[in-house]
Amino acid sequence: MAQHNLEEHSDNQIFRQDKELSFAFLCGIFLLVGFLIETLSNFSHWLPLSSYIISYVFGAFFITIAAYKKIIKGGFDIDFLMISAAGGAAYIGSWAEGALLLFLFSLGHALEHYAMNKAKKSIEALGELSPKTALVKKKDTLVEIPIEDLRINNVIVVKPNTKIAADGVIISGSSSVDQAPITGESIPLDKTCIANTEHLPEFTDIDRRHIVFAGTINGDNSLEVLVLKLTEDSTVSRLIKLVSEVETQKSPTQRLTKKFEKWYVPIVIIVVFLLCLAHLVIDESFNTSLYRAITVLVAASPCALAISTPSAVLSGIARAAQKGILIKGGKALEDLGEITTMAFDKTGTLTEGRPQLTNIIPFHNFDDNTFLKLVLEVESLSNHPLAKAIANDIIKKYAIEFQHEASEVYEIQGKGIRAIYEDNEVFIGNVKLMEASGIMVDDFVLTKMKGLLENGHTVMIVACNKAVIGLISVMDTPRKSAVATLKRLREIGIKHMIMLTGDHQNVGDAIAKQIGLTDVKGNLLPEDKVAAIQTLIKRDKKIAMVGDGVNDAPAMALSTVSVAMGAAGSDVALETADVALMSDKIENLPFVIGLSRKSKQIIKQNIWISLSVVALLVPVTIFGLTNIGVAVAFHEGSTVVVVLNALRLLRFKMD
């Protein structure tokens, strides 16, 4: 029911945002129609006036509702001031000026609302990670129950290629488990059952070979899992909680805006009210005092100020969209321009996101083709993710065709594979497999393996007829554009670039060495990444986090600006992120940072322009040194200047 209500509320928000934007455009259309009739024809003044009135209705509709809701709570904000200014302009006959005020303000209002409510779906997306039901083993039968009804010490059965329903320890079976949804590890891990379940240590102290997480994906074999955490305490639930907590925090910019409204709007209202009573103090008529008060109200209405940031934000977002980059609102656009520290996830962000064949090392006079053909024939019959990657790369890179010449394939969980090829017994796997099969692995082979392992490769020994005949290795390789991108980031002022990864420290170090990073933190679970981000924020105040997986969501939500890799990114990371690289091109990072810095510069310029005009006009109009026409001309002139300045962002290019 709560989920249904959340979705219904989300749908209502989207409907209101669309309607608000439509009303803003209708306001502008009727404003333009009225202006054209008034300036280009001799029709009765009632015709353009009618068009202006309709423009008022559309432009003021949502602003009036927002102002009313604030007023009944005892407060006044810029919405109220804009309505008052538009009303004052209408009272003295300046309908076009008032309609323009409403159009510009309502358009900025609508576009900001539309852009800034996208991240709310992240919690719903996180909730989809876990399956809805679990198969619980009760004596000799299996009972399907909702995961909410699972209890600690229940035994659940996880069928091949299905999602695991709870955090727990494997008590029967072995399989490879894809943990990418939780830890971000690029290569599925071999999991085996624990030997003794009577005196289990704490969940976090159990060997990771025996534990599984809710939301991860089982491989080709069935597992029996002893549930050690309730649904609300699972890793996925912690992710949801972390994202929820971070998303409810208000930004300093929001708080500053609220403080500004609290003093600016009441002061303007008080000043205008006192000016209406000026005829009681000085020798002038009530109409003169009223005219001056309305002029001040128009001069003080923060139209240029209100549109200064939204216009720059809109232009920046539009320019980013032309490059295939989605920026979710002004806060992200502004904050990204101040970033000097960036944290990166590894898998799918700095790397390709899948294991690739990196080395073939045949021994004993085996030539490359003969060695590769043997490996291809054996590995093609395995369903293990690494075997599939090796077979695919051999076919792709070396143009060797699969001939179905191997047979009697047998997978030994956690060790490797055995098969018969051309009447020869072949083993491909780790040192344990070789030792268990009576195959000697000499120091020469171990030294070769050590060098590869230290550089982050996953290494497998190939043996035929009880003798080692070579080595093969796989690795999640860096993106081709990663080196140039990181170099460009350093050139534009990103001083610190840190990799945060769930993979082994050696793997992270190897990738960092290849692409030019100097700081790597490996073996990280989602909560570890959050702790790392918290440490970086304490040191550098503002940081950006670039990631692509569900496991990155809490860390991304906590960072000042979160950037998701689009095509390769999970739905959760995409929804949670402030910036999404839709084309999955990491080389767009320098562009979006440069665009953000330019946007920040233009926003500052616009604020100074708008405040300077208000600071000039208000005193002049208070002392009656100018009329309403001049006030409106300067006021609207500043608005035009602000908008034109913002539109420069549409032509932004990196130097």
Side-chain angles (χ1 to χ4, degrees):
M1 179 64 73
Q3 180 72 15
H4 173 74
N5 290 339
L6 183 62
E7 291 175 356
E8 185 177 351
H9 176 69
S10 178
D11 291 340
N12 289 338
Q13 273 194 323
I14 293 171
F15 174 75
R16 177 185 171 120
Q17 289 165 11
D18 290 342
K19 195 172 181 180
E20 193 173 10
L21 195 58
S22 299
F23 273 37
F25 282 125
L26 286 170
C27 172
I29 290 170
F30 282 102
L31 166 63
L32 179 62
V33 169
F35 177 76
L36 292 175
I37 294 173
E38 187 176 34
T39 55
L40 302 179
S41 71
N42 295 319
F43 290 116
S44 168
H45 76 282
W46 284 105
L47 196 57
L49 179 60
S50 299
S51 187
Y52 289 142
I53 291 173
I54 296 173
S55 177
Y56 259 65
V57 171
F58 283 116
F61 186 82
F62 285 104
I63 302 173
T64 303
I65 292 173
Y68 173 74
K69 288 180 178 178
K70 190 73 174 180
I71 290 169
I72 61 176
K73 292 180 181 179
F76 296 93
D77 59 8
I78 292 179
D79 291 325
F80 173 79
L81 204 58
M82 291 301 297
I83 291 295
S84 300
Y91 181 83
I92 60 175
S94 300
W95 286 92
E97 290 82 357
L100 182 60
L101 289 173
L102 291 175
F103 167 63
L104 292 173
F105 188 73
S106 62
L107 180 62
H109 222 262
L111 291 172
E112 277 205 305
H113 284 173
Y114 189 82
M116 293 180 66
N117 286 317
K118 295 294 184 182
K120 298 302 180 183
K121 293 182 180 178
S122 58
I123 298 174
E124 298 172 41
L126 278 169
E128 295 300 317
L129 271 180
S130 296
K132 304 302 180 187
T133 60
L135 287 175
V136 178
K137 187 175 182 181
K138 295 186 176 180
K139 295 184 179 179
D140 294 329
T141 61
L142 295 179
V143 180
E144 187 173 12
I145 66 171
I147 60 169
E148 294 82 4
D149 295 339
L150 282 175
R151 295 292 177 263
I152 291 175
N153 293 328
N154 279 163
V155 176
I156 61 173
V157 174
V158 185
K159 293 185 176 181
N161 303 308
T162 61
K163 288 183 178 180
I164 296 170
D167 288 10
V169 61
I170 301 171
I171 59 173
S172 178
S174 58
S175 184
S176 62
V177 176
D178 182 0
Q179 295 194 153
I182 300 299
T183 66
E185 291 164 294
S186 55
I187 297 175
L189 299 182
D190 290 325
K191 300 284 186 173
T192 60
C193 60
I194 195 167
N196 185 0
T197 60
E198 292 184 5
H199 303 288
L200 288 174
E202 292 292 326
F203 182 79
T204 53
D205 296 329
I206 299 175
D207 191 314
R208 290 195 180 189
R209 293 177 300 167
H210 308 313
I211 63 172
V212 291
F213 302 108
T216 56
I217 303 167
N218 185 25
D220 292 333
N221 299 316
S222 291
L223 298 174
E224 290 186 9
V225 176
L226 180 68
V227 177
L228 296 183
K229 289 191 177 185
L230 297 176
T231 300
E232 58 266 28
D233 298 323
S234 70
T235 303
V236 172
S237 296
R238 291 205 307 275
L239 298 186
I240 295 172
K241 183 180 179 183
L242 286 167
V243 174
S244 301
E245 287 176 351
V246 172
E247 285 188 343
T248 57
Q249 297 173 5
K250 288 188 176 181
S251 70
T253 304
Q254 288 173 309
R255 290 194 290 268
L256 186 62
T257 301
K258 291 298 179 183
K259 288 179 181 178
F260 174 77
E261 289 181 7
K262 282 182 180 179
W263 66 261
Y264 182 77
V265 176
I267 287 176
V268 171
I269 294 171
I270 292 170
V271 169
V272 170
F273 176 75
L274 292 175
L275 288 172
C276 289
L277 304 177
H279 67 283
L280 300 175
V281 180
I282 59 178
D283 186 18
E284 65 180 18
S285 67
F286 171 73
N287 285 341
T288 303
S289 296
L290 182 61
Y291 181 85
R292 180 168 49 230
I294 293 173
T295 304
V296 171
L297 183 60
V298 171
S301 63
C303 184
L305 184 62
I307 203 66
S308 61
T309 301
S311 60
V313 167
L314 178 61
S315 298
I317 290 173
R319 179 67 183 114
Q322 293 171 0
K323 294 282 287 184
I325 303 166
L326 173 64
I327 301 177
K328 298 179 180 178
K331 183 179 183 298
L333 187 67
E334 291 183 52
D335 285 342
L336 194 57
E338 299 178 358
I339 295 296
T340 58
T341 299
M342 299 190 76
F344 296 86
D345 176 51
K346 179 184 76 69
T347 306
T349 303
L350 294 172
T351 65
E352 296 292 345
R354 65 177 185 86
Q356 297 183 41
L357 181 63
T358 50
N359 287 282
I360 56 161
I361 308 174
F363 304 147
H364 303 304
N365 298 320
F366 268 82
D367 63 74
D368 288 357
N369 277 358
T370 303
F371 179 72
L372 285 169
K373 183 169 173 47
L374 180 151
V375 173
L376 173 62
E377 293 297 324
V378 174
E379 294 285 41
S380 293
L381 299 182
S382 172
N383 288 321
H384 195 282
L386 287 185
K388 291 179 180 178
I390 291 167
N392 289 337
D393 279 358
I394 290 176
I395 294 171
K396 181 179 177 182
K397 293 180 180 179
Y398 299 96
I400 298 175
E401 295 184 4
F402 175 46
Q403 300 291 337
H404 300 274
E405 295 179 359
S407 61
E408 298 181 33
V409 173
Y410 177 67
E411 293 193 36
I412 302 153
Q413 191 65 41
K415 295 180 181 179
I417 189 172
R418 172 200 173 278
I420 300 297
Y421 172 71
E422 295 183 346
D423 296 325
N424 298 311
E425 189 178 32
V426 176
F427 293 88
I428 301 177
N430 56 25
V431 174
K432 290 181 180 178
L433 175 64
M434 302 301 139
E435 292 174 346
S437 305
I439 300 170
M440 187 184 74
V441 181
D442 59 28
D443 290 342
F444 172 77
V445 174
L446 292 174
T447 301
K448 284 275 187 183
M449 291 181 66
K450 183 180 178 182
L452 292 170
L453 290 168
E454 287 177 350
N455 286 312
H457 298 264
T458 298
V459 186
M460 283 149 281
I461 303 170
V462 182
C464 181
N465 287 336
K466 301 296 183 179
V468 176
I469 63 169
L471 300 174
I472 53 176
S473 69
V474 296
M475 187 179 184
D476 185 13
T477 56
R479 288 173 179 262
K480 294 178 181 177
S481 57
V483 174
T485 298
L486 297 183
K487 181 181 178 182
R488 185 69 176 116
L489 288 173
R490 281 191 293 271
E491 290 173 353
I492 64 174
I494 304 300
K495 299 176 182 178
H496 308 287
M497 288 178 282
I498 303 99
M499 181 196 294
L500 307 178
T501 178
D503 273 347
H504 193 276
Q505 185 71 37
N506 282 353
V507 176
D509 289 338
I511 297 293
K513 185 178 180 181
Q514 292 179 58
I515 62 178
L517 290 176
T518 56
D519 198 353
V520 180
K521 297 182 186 298
N523 300 311
L524 302 181
L525 287 171
E527 53 264 42
D528 301 324
K529 289 189 178 184
V530 170
I533 292 295
Q534 289 172 332
T535 301
L536 291 171
I537 289 175
K538 286 181 181 178
R539 187 190 74 181
D540 300 327
K541 306 305 180 186
K542 291 187 176 184
I543 74 158
M545 170 72 184
V546 186
D548 77 323
V550 173
N551 59 293
D552 303 319
M556 291 172 73
L558 182 64
S559 60
T560 313
V561 182
S562 53
V563 182
M565 301 297 294
S570 71
D571 290 339
V572 178
L574 194 60
E575 292 292 344
T576 307
D578 302 304
V579 178
L581 307 184
M582 302 302 290
S583 61
D584 198 30
K585 292 183 178 179
I586 194 173
E587 55 266 36
N588 278 337
L589 273 177
F591 173 85
V592 73
I593 291 174
L595 175 64
S596 299
R597 290 178 177 173
K598 188 65 176 179
S599 300
K600 181 81 172 177
Q601 179 186 0
I602 285 180
I603 287 170
K604 288 181 178 179
Q605 292 172 354
N606 283 352
I607 289 174
W608 276 108
I609 291 169
S610 56
L611 288 178
S612 297
V613 170
V614 170
L616 172 66
L617 282 181
V618 170
V620 170
T621 52
I622 285 177
F623 292 105
L625 300 177
T626 188
N627 57 36
I628 186 69
V630 174
V632 169
F634 269 89
H635 188 273
E636 299 311 323
S638 67
T639 301
V640 171
V641 169
V642 162
V643 171
L644 290 176
N645 192 38
L647 291 177
R648 292 194 296 133
L649 287 169
L650 293 174
R651 294 186 293 176
F652 173 80
K653 293 181 181 179
M654 282 292 289
D655 296 331

